[in-house]
Amino acid sequence: MAEPTSDATTTSAHDRAVAYMANERFHQRFTLPATADHDALVVTYADAGRGAGDDPKAVPTMLYMPGMFSSRLFGVFPLHAMGQKLGVRVLVIDRPGMGHSTNVPLSQRLAVWLETATALLKHLGIDHVALVSHSAGTIYNLNLLYRFRDILSPTKPFVALFAPFVHPTHSRVVYLQMAQWLPNQAFNAWHHIPRLVVTKAQPAFASSGAVFTKATSAILGKPGNSSDGGHSSRRIEKKYGVTRDLQTELDELIPKTMFEGQTVGADSEVMQCLKKGATGTWGECDDYPTYIRNLAELERSRGLEEGKARVKVRIYFAETDAMIGQRGKMYLEECWAGNEGEFEDCIDFAAESIEGADHDTVCRKLKVLEAIFHEAGGKKTSHSSATSAEGETQVGLDG
C-alpha cells in the first residue's frame, strides 16, 4: 500500500503524512570514502518505489536528479507510490550541501556527484539505471551519461530531461542575465530566502493565498495540482492509493521538512547555473553543441552490437517557462537535433512541450511520469486512447 496502514477514519491526514514521510527508506545514509581531494563525506538519499516483496537488485531503477534545492524528499511523492505500483526503484540523492549530505566547494560539486553516484550504485548492487533530471539537475546527469555510459541499460538506454536549464547567454532570460552581474557574495545567503518564506512568512501570506502559492512555486517548485483541475489528484488516489487529503498534506509538508535539513548547497548551485566563480563547473556539458557532438562520437565508437540500442533522449518542455523561455527551448532542440538529423544514427532524440505545465510543474505531470516509468522498465499503464476519460491529453513519447 502507498499510504501508511493506520486507519484513515481515526487518524488525521496530517498525522498520516508525517508517518508517510518518516519511512526509513526516505532517509538513508552512505559514507563516501576519503580521497586525496576530500575527506570522507556523508551522503543522504531516498530509496523509494518498487513493489512489496520485490528484490531491490532485480527491479528496474530510475536515478532522479531534481532541480535546485535538490532534496531527496522530492522523490517521496508521487514517485514513491508510482514506483511501488509500476515496479520501479527510485533513487534520489541529496547533492552536496542538501539534506545531510556534506557540503563541498563549488569547484568540487560535479566531481563529488560523479563519485557519489557511481559509488552508491555499486554499494547498492545496481548495474543499470534510467537517468531522469529536472532543470539544474540536467548538468549532473548529462555528465554522468558522458562519463559512465555503461550505467544505462544496454537494451533500453533511456534519459529524460524535464525543462533542462539553459545558460542565460542562450536563453536571453532577462532577470537571469541581470543576476550574472551580481557579485558572488550576493549569493552567499540565497538558501535562506526560500527557508524564510516557508518557515516564517507563511502566516503573513495566508490571507492572500494566490500570492503565496505563486511565490513559493516560483522559488521552490512547490507541488500543486491546480493547473489540471485536480485530475491528477483523483488519478493518483485511484491508481496509486494516495488519498487526496494525504496528497494535500504532503504538498505542504515536503518543502517544510526539506528546510529542516541544510540547504546551503543551493548557494553554490545558483552560481554553478550562472557559471559564476570557478570555471568548468558544468563539466562535459559546458557547451551543449560540443557535448552532443562528443556524445554522438562516443555512441558511434561503441557500435550497435546485437541486442544493443541507440540511447533514447527525451526532453519535456513546459508550455510556459520563465527559466529558459522560448529561446532556450529552441536552442536545446537545435543542439540535440543537429544539422539535418546528423545524430539520428546514434541518438534517438525527441522533444515535447507539455500543455498546461510551467517550469516547476512539468516534472509532475502524471501522464509523462507514467510514460517515463515505462521507459525505465516499469509496468505499462493501461492508457491507450489519445485522451483519458478525465480529459487529460495523452503525450506522444515515442518520438
Side-chain angles (χ1 to χ4, degrees), residues 97-390:
M98 296 298 298
H100 298 286
S101 288
T102 308
N103 197 29
V104 300
L106 171 60
S107 60
Q108 293 185 356
R109 287 185 69 79
L110 190 54
V112 166
W113 155 249
L114 294 172
E115 188 181 343
T116 297
T118 52
L120 181 58
L121 292 177
K122 182 177 180 180
H123 171 72
L124 296 174
I126 299 172
D127 295 324
H128 303 294
V129 297
L131 295 176
V132 182
S133 63
H134 176 225
S135 192
T138 302
I139 297 168
Y140 296 86
N141 268 359
L142 287 184
N143 276 274
L144 193 60
L145 169 65
Y146 187 87
R147 296 282 299 276
F148 299 96
R149 169 63 172 79
D150 286 340
I151 69 170
L152 296 186
S153 165
T155 58
K156 228 182 166 184
F158 181 67
V159 179
L161 311 175
F162 285 112
F165 186 76
V166 177
H167 192 267
T169 299
H170 303 290
S171 68
R172 306 287 182 87
V173 173
V174 174
Y175 77 92
L176 291 177
Q177 289 180 313
M178 294 173 64
Q180 289 184 279
W181 291 97
L182 294 173
N184 291 352
Q185 292 80 2
F187 298 100
N188 290 342
W190 160 242
H191 69 287
H192 289 302
I193 298 172
R195 181 188 297 271
L196 287 172
V197 171
V198 171
T199 62
K200 304 294 184 184
Q202 184 171 1
F205 282 93
S207 61
S208 55
V211 174
F212 175 70
T213 299
K214 188 174 182 63
T216 52
S217 294
I219 294 170
L220 296 171
K222 180 182 174 182
N225 295 309
S226 59
S227 63
D228 62 13
H231 292 157
S232 290
S233 294
R234 290 195 294 271
R235 214 173 154 68
I236 288 170
E237 181 176 50
K238 183 177 180 180
K239 286 198 66 176
Y240 301 107
V242 185
T243 59
R244 276 180 279 177
D245 60 346
L246 178 59
Q247 293 178 49
T248 299
E249 290 293 333
L250 288 172
D251 283 346
E252 295 295 329
L253 192 58
I254 287 169
K256 290 180 180 179
T257 305
M258 181 185 80
F259 281 104
E260 291 175 0
Q262 68 169 341
T263 56
V264 67
D267 294 352
S268 292
E269 194 137 299
V270 69
M271 292 182 63
Q272 180 183 41
C273 287
L274 295 173
K275 295 186 179 178
K276 296 176 67 68
T279 59
T281 55
W282 283 38
E284 300 292 346
C285 62
D286 186 69
D287 178 75
Y288 278 143
T290 301
Y291 171 87
I292 295 163
R293 283 195 298 271
N294 290 342
L295 178 66
E297 287 304 312
L298 285 177
E299 288 297 299
R300 292 184 182 114
S301 70
R302 292 169 57 87
L304 290 180
E305 302 172 9
E306 185 176 355
K308 290 188 176 181
R310 291 181 299 164
V311 60
K312 180 182 283 190
V313 178
R314 294 292 182 265
I315 297 183
Y316 306 102
F317 293 117
E319 182 179 15
T320 57
D321 196 321
M323 290 289 288
I324 67 173
Q326 289 300 318
R327 286 179 180 268
K329 296 179 192 178
M330 292 172 59
Y331 170 73
L332 281 171
E333 286 198 81
E334 290 170 0
C335 289
W336 281 98
N339 297 319
E340 298 181 355
E342 64 178 302
F343 307 129
E344 287 182 353
D345 63 309
C346 55
I347 300 175
D348 176 2
F349 166 73
E352 185 164 3
S353 183
I354 306 304
E355 184 179 356
D358 61 26
H359 184 83
D360 298 318
T361 60
V362 65
C363 61
R364 287 176 58 87
K365 288 297 182 179
L366 193 58
K367 293 295 181 62
V368 183
L369 286 174
E370 287 177 334
I372 286 174
F373 271 96
H374 172 60
E375 292 286 0
K379 302 168 188 174
K380 193 168 185 178
T381 59
S382 59
H383 312 305
S384 57
S385 61
T387 305
S388 75
E390 291 182 318

Side-chain angles (χ1 to χ4, degrees), residues 26-32 40-45 70-73 93-104 257-265:
F26 305 152
H27 308 282
Q28 296 293 301
R29 292 195 181 211
F30 170 74
T31 300
L32 190 67
L41 304 174
V42 173
V43 178
T44 45
Y45 66 98
S70 52
S71 174
R72 71 189 186 280
L73 299 179
I93 306 172
D94 282 329
R95 299 200 282 271
M98 296 298 298
H100 298 286
S101 288
T102 308
N103 197 29
V104 300
T257 305
M258 181 185 80
F259 281 104
E260 291 175 0
Q262 68 169 341
T263 56
V264 67

Side-chain angles (χ1 to χ4, degrees), residues 18-30:
V18 171
Y20 191 108
M21 295 282 291
N23 189 331
E24 64 178 10
R25 289 177 55 196
F26 305 152
H27 308 282
Q28 296 293 301
R29 292 195 181 211
F30 170 74

